[in-house]
Amino acid sequence: MAVTLRKSTELFTVAKWLTRRDCRTLSSLPEKAKLASLEVTEKAETSRRRPKKVNPLLENRHAYPEFLPDPNPKWRNSLREKLERADMLKRRNQIDIPEFYVGSILAVTIADPHSQGKTNRFVGICIERKGCGLRAEFTLRNVVDHQGVEVRYDLYDPTIHKIQVLRVEKRLDDKLFYLRDALPEYSTFSFDMDPEILPEGTPVPINPVKVELKPKPWLERWERQELQGISNIEQYLTKKDKVRRELRKTPWEKYDLMKQYRKTIPIEEQTDIWSEVNSQLQQLQLARKKSTRKRTFSAPKTQLG
Amino acid sequence: MNQAEVSKLVSKLRMNIKPEHRRLKNLKGPEGRIDKLRKTVTGLIKFERIELNINRGDEARQYAERLISEAIRHGDCHKPTMDMANFWLLEKQLVHKLFKVLVPRFENSTVSYTKMIKAPKAQNTEHTNKIVLELRGNPYPDLIVKQPNNRLWIQNVLLDAAKYDYRQSKISEIAANIGKDTQLSSSSLTANNKGGTQKEES
Amino acid sequence: MFPNSLKLLWGALQKSRFDNAACNIRGASRQPRFRPPYWYVPKERVWTDDYLTKENKQFLEEVIKDKLEAQTALEKKALTSPILNDVKKNVTWTPQTKRVGLIARKIGNYPLWCKDGKKVSTTLLQVVDNHVIKYIPPEEYKPMIKSNVKWVEKQKYGCILVGAENIDPSVVTKDYCGIFDSVGMLPKRHLCRFVVSPESALPNGTPLYATHFRVGDCIDIRSKTMDRGFQGVMKRWGFKGMPASHGVTKTHRRPGNIGSGGEKARVWPGTKMPGHMGNRWRTLRGVKILRIDTKYNVIWTLGVAIPGETGAMCYLFDTVLPLKRNKTAPPFPTQPFMNDVPKEYFEDTIHPFDEPTISYYEEI
């Protein structure tokens, strides 16, 4: 109620702020006033407050998101998470699980008892990455003989022989389920695609491609999901769709601090996790770099004259 | 099983948080809940000590702590944090108070920024649990008075006597065994321990 | 003393007081309250701030430290006792002998893979600080549930009290502490009675480890199921309900008919109806052990249907199921502490993550 009653001009608020700069100076308690005066002198020395530096270990969370546990406190247990991480690292020692994101194109070879040569290779674009710990999964999508095919793999499945990243890139969205309703050319990738190796140290490129959707019916209401990667969504929306979209919007959700908190693992816990796991991951990354360098310098191309 | 969010980083809150949020009855639904909490957080930052019901107070406490931790982490010039503070604090001079007064106050703190104390239950009125929510370092006198002079209280007097007896028996045992080569028997020690516990519990 | 009519009036007036009215929550949504039995003694004391001086707090810590030393001495004595170390001298295992169980905490689930590539979900159970508190011989043991069978010669069973998870003695009552003090041990958070045959008696203070069970053994797990609160008939009893549309009026999840009319024209006691679901003791039989970690005392079991939520305590026993019982002698009476034990045991069908990738080969 105090908020609604008070209507002041800008000058008045500035004047008020200047006079009541530190409410402790007005305190009747002498100790608090003394502290306030000390603080004023300290503040005068440091003009601008610098934000705290972010621990570089935390950058690992983008490349290895499955190492972070499920944030739901009902299922959290530090010992189980530790054992799970140890198992994940053991599997990573056996096979190179590369760094990839949603939107990267991968080729996965698995052991298949029913196919010729006992292995099966599938190439596709990664449309989602879900699950945490040993349950981590990713889905690859491709269009084979005009039929859209999606295959979901467990990241830590011991039957996977090889995960090869043909193109490392990110897209404008976290999940690319809208490719199911997009024109097939956006999901088609040749099985004989050559791996595109980026020079060392380059940041992961973000592909700004905007996909064209097929006319309705769609599998989901893409217009309500705030997706950046669709170009022609507006042309397929009816008046009702647009009205309902406005009504269903929840603009307060992005300010909901506790909702964000409950979905995230806090910095202190993340630092513990990454410091436990980082040295081994760095070793594996070095080994991977060595193998890629060997490949690029392996056979010099001869000119056939 | 959901994958944890990696886009944003949050500092750990130094208080107990329930797994699910409280809905806080109101007509507008989730938007109304956020509005209610905005008013409470504004009031807390403005007055630094407020008395209210436990459910609303606990929720608002979580949001206030989160706001202050975001302000500490990102500081004055980070646009999303300024936007967040502008949303949560309905009176705009409190945004300045948050960044200029509260951030330096709590920057190096290792405990929570707010304190929640249970208020005495009102007699002959509604059975609502009231709490007092306050920011640490507020200018008012403390609500909880610490007890420095408890030396002469009965539990301490009895414990002092028990401590004396226990240590005497230990010393006498060691003295008795000084000449001998054998080690202290565990059975004699347990007998003394039993005597010690009986006195301490009384 | 008030006469009866005035008493009734007084009661009615009490109920109509508006501060009492605020407490009148509807019966269905009120949490069920259970009165403990007459012999129940509370475990945790009413927590109040003691306002002890610093020196007194240090004194209490000193006493606890001395008791811990005494307990470790007792543990060592138990480990070196003839029962555990003289192989097959006095104790012999038969498929009919009952040996002690363990108290474990359910810490979560995660998948493991078999050697043929199949994925299985497993539950992790951590055996935390288990110690034998007491052995009660068959002459002194009086079980709560007595069977009335008199003509069959019953095998006399004793009882072993096992405790799990150390707890701060200042949190519990004197009576509870006394149970442990009488044998020279510090209090434990959880206690359980395991009915055992007299041959599997163990000395006081014996520590129990996860290696008490072997990989490939089947166990029974007893614990309290997850509390689901007041639930309707479809979730609680698995009723089919009614269609969502096609003219069905206001009846989609209801039980429907609850009686037949006819001879006993009433609703029979025990009719399935909505009510409180969960928070009951249930035993899951024949659960296979797939993996054991000896450093942290963790057991991986097949399946995720172990009753209870993450963090709940479970009691583990050897299976009673005839086809899954132990055919070879397990560590009897229990596995003593050994220094050079492998870090992990895996069952034969499970693929350890250390091993190379699974490949299939052509059958020749």
Side-chain angles (χ1 to χ4, degrees):
Chain A
M1 52 165 193
V3 177
T4 50
L5 286 174
R6 201 175 291 174
K7 279 193 179 177
S8 43
T9 56
E10 267 186 38
L11 276 170
F12 190 46
T13 46
V14 166
K16 270 199 287 183
W17 175 66
L18 283 169
T19 48
R20 290 187 206 160
R21 199 169 168 144
D22 195 331
C23 54
R24 279 180 295 176
T25 50
L26 298 176
S27 165
S28 51
L29 298 167
E31 314 89 67
K32 310 266 182 178
K34 262 190 212 168
L35 278 169
S37 58
L38 278 170
E39 285 252 351
V40 165
T41 48
E42 270 174 29
K43 260 191 259 166
E45 286 159 8
T46 59
S47 53
R48 208 189 247 202
R49 199 144 299 282
R50 299 217 177 276
K52 289 180 184 170
K53 280 189 184 163
V54 181
N55 192 340
L57 279 179
L58 294 170
E59 293 303 309
N60 279 330
R61 71 188 196 275
H62 298 292
Y64 311 106
E66 73 273 3
F67 277 89
L68 294 175
D70 191 323
N72 189 338
K74 285 189 199 169
W75 301 327
R76 295 212 50 196
N77 182 288
S78 48
L79 178 64
R80 186 211 67 231
E81 285 158 23
K82 211 168 152 181
L83 291 168
E84 203 166 4
R85 268 177 257 133
D87 280 340
M88 283 156 79
L89 287 172
K90 279 182 204 165
R91 177 65 193 151
R92 275 180 184 258
N93 277 327
Q94 296 301 320
I95 183 187
D96 169 44
I97 298 173
E99 181 189 324
F100 66 96
Y101 304 90
V102 169
S104 318
I105 299 165
L106 309 180
V108 172
T109 325
I110 56 163
D112 190 355
H114 307 296
S115 62
Q116 248 189 10
K118 301 293 177 187
T119 53
N120 190 344
R121 184 170 180 268
F122 186 76
V123 170
I125 182 170
C126 176
I127 56 169
E128 79 162 331
R129 269 188 91 156
K130 67 187 263 195
C132 45
L134 285 168
R135 281 174 217 263
E137 294 171 333
F138 63 99
T139 317
L140 298 182
R141 181 184 166 80
N142 207 337
V143 173
V144 176
D145 286 344
H146 308 290
Q147 172 65 52
V149 176
E150 285 181 17
V151 187
R152 183 178 278 178
Y153 298 102
D154 285 309
L155 256 184
Y156 293 94
D157 194 342
T159 53
I160 293 183
H161 281 229
K162 191 177 184 187
I163 303 176
Q164 189 188 25
V165 179
L166 301 173
R167 193 194 300 169
V168 162
E169 62 182 14
K170 287 189 199 180
R171 289 283 198 117
L172 296 167
D173 301 302
D174 257 346
K175 311 266 176 189
L176 300 175
F177 295 123
Y178 54 79
L179 290 177
R180 293 168 182 164
D181 283 327
L183 299 172
E185 62 235 32
Y186 293 100
S187 315
T188 330
F189 301 96
S190 161
F191 269 60
D192 309 315
M193 215 169 121
D194 287 320
E196 294 164 28
I197 304 168
L198 291 171
E200 265 181 52
T202 48
V204 175
I206 300 176
N207 191 346
V209 66
K210 293 217 174 201
V211 141
E212 282 172 17
L213 293 180
K214 291 189 284 201
K216 276 194 175 186
W218 293 331
L219 287 165
E220 285 179 40
R221 290 181 195 275
W222 307 117
E223 73 274 8
R224 290 187 195 175
Q225 287 182 25
E226 287 168 41
L227 298 162
Q228 310 296 321
I230 304 176
S231 61
N232 66 341
I233 201 162
E234 294 295 318
Q235 75 185 92
Y236 294 121
L237 295 182
T238 59
K239 201 173 163 189
K240 186 181 175 188
D241 284 335
K242 293 181 188 170
V243 163
R244 293 300 302 172
R245 175 172 52 173
E246 288 308 311
L247 285 174
R248 299 229 78 187
K249 273 196 177 154
T250 54
W252 60 86
E253 235 181 78
K254 71 170 178 176
Y255 297 111
D256 195 337
L257 291 160
M258 284 313 295
K259 194 162 186 169
Q260 280 168 22
Y261 185 80
R262 288 193 169 96
K263 279 197 239 170
T264 343
I265 307 287
I267 294 174
E268 289 83 351
E269 289 177 29
Q270 275 201 37
T271 338
D272 291 333
I273 292 169
W274 296 121
S275 46
E276 196 186 300
V277 144
N278 193 51
S279 55
Q280 287 212 31
L281 287 174
Q282 291 295 328
Q283 276 175 15
L284 291 167
Q285 211 178 17
L286 283 170
R288 196 186 306 145
K289 278 184 189 167
K290 264 190 205 169
S291 61
T292 49
R293 253 182 261 148
K294 272 187 197 166
R295 257 183 268 141
T296 47
F297 293 118
S298 55
K301 286 184 185 157
T302 50
Q303 292 238 328
L304 297 168
Chain B
M1 296 280 154
N2 299 310
Q3 226 173 54
E5 277 270 318
V6 294
S7 45
K8 292 200 176 88
L9 286 173
V10 298
S11 304
K12 193 169 168 82
L13 285 184
R14 297 160 192 151
M15 51 184 278
N16 277 342
I17 294 178
K18 294 195 171 182
E20 284 183 26
H21 65 268
R22 293 181 179 87
R23 297 199 200 169
L24 300 184
K25 254 201 228 176
N26 61 85
L27 291 168
K28 283 199 278 178
E31 194 188 349
R33 171 180 170 272
I34 296 281
D35 278 338
K36 253 186 166 181
L37 290 168
R38 268 212 272 184
K39 291 181 195 170
T40 319
V41 168
T42 311
L44 175 64
I45 304 279
K46 180 173 173 181
F47 298 110
E48 299 203 25
R49 181 185 282 174
I50 51 175
E51 182 181 330
L52 68 170
N53 294 336
I54 189 165
N55 286 323
R56 188 168 169 173
D58 192 48
E59 286 293 299
R61 186 187 179 199
Q62 295 172 9
Y63 283 91
E65 293 244 354
R66 274 283 288 131
L67 187 67
I68 297 171
S69 74
E70 288 277 295
I72 290 172
R73 248 176 60 76
H74 293 120
D76 219 353
C77 307
H78 190 236
K79 242 203 168 150
T81 318
M82 300 280 277
D83 197 24
M84 190 71 83
N86 188 41
F87 175 86
W88 280 97
L89 299 170
L90 297 165
E91 291 180 34
K92 298 313 151 191
Q93 68 250 42
L94 293 175
V95 176
H96 298 292
K97 181 180 172 181
L98 173 71
F99 287 107
K100 307 285 181 189
V101 173
L102 298 180
V103 165
R105 197 200 284 187
F106 295 126
E107 237 183 357
N108 302 315
S109 163
T110 50
V111 289
S112 60
Y113 314 124
T114 57
K115 219 170 161 183
M116 188 166 95
I117 303 154
K118 285 192 179 169
K121 283 188 185 172
Q123 301 286 334
N124 302 322
T125 52
E126 291 163 28
H127 284 241
T128 45
N129 292 322
K130 294 274 185 191
I131 48 131
V132 173
L133 203 53
E134 58 171 17
L135 294 177
R136 279 186 207 258
N138 63 63
Y140 312 113
D142 279 331
L143 282 174
I144 295 175
V145 181
K146 291 186 186 160
Q147 308 278 358
N149 305 316
N150 50 355
R151 233 205 133 66
L152 295 172
W153 290 19
I154 183 105
Q155 65 261 37
N156 285 314
V157 168
L158 290 171
L159 268 173
D160 283 331
K163 187 168 55 179
Y164 179 77
D165 287 337
Y166 184 79
R167 285 184 181 158
Q168 285 295 318
S169 60
K170 252 182 148 180
I171 287 165
S172 61
E173 272 226 38
I174 293 166
N177 286 326
I178 266 176
K180 299 178 189 172
D181 286 327
T182 53
Q183 278 186 332
L184 280 168
S185 60
S186 54
S187 52
S188 63
L189 251 182
T190 45
N192 276 333
N193 291 355
K194 275 188 190 168
T197 44
Q198 276 169 17
K199 277 184 192 160
E200 103 202 21
E201 296 294 346
S202 60
Chain C
M1 291 303 272
F2 285 178
N4 237 8
S5 51
L6 270 179
K7 262 194 199 166
L8 284 169
L9 185 65
W10 181 246
L13 281 174
Q14 285 280 338
K15 274 186 195 161
S16 65
R17 271 179 65 172
F18 70 94
D19 50 358
N20 270 343
C23 303
N24 277 341
I25 316 165
R26 288 184 61 121
S29 39
R30 200 188 318 177
Q31 278 180 332
R33 297 216 183 150
F34 303 105
R35 196 174 287 178
Y38 65 91
W39 43 259
Y40 174 76
V41 154
K43 183 171 99 181
E44 278 164 10
R45 72 166 177 118
V46 174
W47 181 257
T48 48
D49 207 351
D50 283 336
Y51 301 111
L52 298 179
T53 52
K54 217 199 237 179
E55 294 88 17
N56 285 339
K57 281 187 195 162
Q58 281 171 355
F59 165 60
L60 289 179
E61 280 169 24
E62 196 189 304
V63 172
I64 292 171
K65 199 175 140 205
D66 288 338
K67 285 197 163 187
L68 194 62
E69 277 173 21
Q71 189 181 297
T72 25
L74 186 69
E75 218 181 273
K76 277 192 187 146
K77 190 175 154 198
L79 283 172
T80 52
S81 79
I83 298 174
L84 284 178
N85 289 310
D86 278 358
V87 184
K88 286 168 194 150
K89 191 183 177 188
N90 292 320
V91 290
T92 48
W93 180 85
T94 64
Q96 276 74 47
T97 38
K98 281 191 173 191
R99 60 174 191 148
V100 82
L102 296 179
I103 304 177
R105 163 165 271 171
K106 184 175 163 185
I107 56 174
N109 317 326
Y110 68 63
L112 288 179
W113 279 267
C114 295
K115 285 190 170 150
D116 55 2
K118 196 176 140 202
K119 182 174 162 182
V120 291
S121 306
T122 57
T123 314
L124 281 81
L125 302 166
Q126 186 192 11
V127 176
V128 202
D129 287 334
N130 278 19
H131 282 97
V132 167
I133 308 297
K134 217 194 273 190
Y135 167 66
I136 304 166
E139 301 80 41
E140 291 160 27
Y141 174 51
K142 287 187 179 55
M144 297 301 298
I145 300 166
K146 294 171 200 169
S147 69
N148 288 323
V149 174
K150 284 174 190 162
W151 54 85
V152 175
E153 228 186 65
K154 279 197 302 176
Q155 192 181 15
K156 302 259 177 179
Y157 287 121
C159 164
I160 291 186
L161 259 182
V162 176
E165 247 182 276
N166 298 322
I167 198 177
D168 182 15
S170 55
V171 175
V172 288
T173 53
K174 187 179 167 185
D175 314 271
Y176 188 76
C177 254
I179 305 169
F180 301 90
D181 230 16
S182 56
V183 292
M185 298 197 70
L186 281 171
K188 297 277 188 186
R189 187 170 269 143
H190 298 277
L191 265 183
C192 182
R193 272 183 284 190
F194 288 99
V195 172
V196 292
S197 35
E199 299 96 61
S200 14
L202 285 165
N204 296 351
T206 321
L208 299 169
Y209 304 106
T211 39
H212 178 78
F213 296 115
R214 298 165 300 175
V215 154
D217 278 354
C218 285
I219 51 172
D220 290 343
I221 304 177
R222 179 174 185 255
S223 74
K224 269 201 162 173
T225 51
M226 275 178 78
D227 194 344
R228 299 181 202 272
F230 193 97
Q231 287 299 338
V233 110
M234 278 176 83
K235 198 184 196 76
R236 196 178 182 215
W237 300 114
F239 284 13
K240 302 265 299 275
M242 284 90 188
S245 64
H246 288 299
V248 175
T249 44
K250 303 202 287 186
T251 316
H252 305 288
R253 300 183 65 93
R254 297 180 78 182
N257 185 32
I258 54 172
S260 58
E263 205 183 278
K264 302 226 168 150
R266 61 189 171 104
V267 177
W268 286 64
T271 309
K272 292 178 177 176
M273 284 191 170
H276 189 262
M277 179 183 174
N279 201 28
R280 304 218 174 201
W281 287 107
R282 289 288 183 264
T283 313
L284 188 64
R285 305 251 183 228
V287 181
K288 199 169 183 192
I289 296 179
L290 299 175
R291 181 179 168 186
I292 295 178
D293 182 306
T294 45
K295 186 180 171 193
Y296 296 106
N297 278 322
V298 176
I299 299 173
W300 276 253
T301 55
L302 181 65
V304 289
I306 278 90
E309 64 272 320
T310 310
M313 300 307 286
C314 317
Y315 306 132
L316 314 178
F317 316 83
D318 291 318
T319 315
V320 297
L321 297 181
L323 296 175
K324 298 192 182 176
R325 266 190 156 140
N326 283 328
K327 295 191 179 89
T328 52
F332 188 74
T334 189
Q335 176 76 324
F337 177 75
M338 301 210 294
N339 272 321
D340 52 348
V341 103
K343 195 168 172 277
E344 277 184 308
Y345 292 103
F346 280 89
E347 215 230 334
D348 295 327
T349 54
I350 296 292
H351 172 266
F353 291 103
D354 294 13
E355 282 183 12
T357 313
I358 294 169
S359 310
Y360 302 107
Y361 298 104
E362 296 278 352
E363 280 168 42
I364 304 158

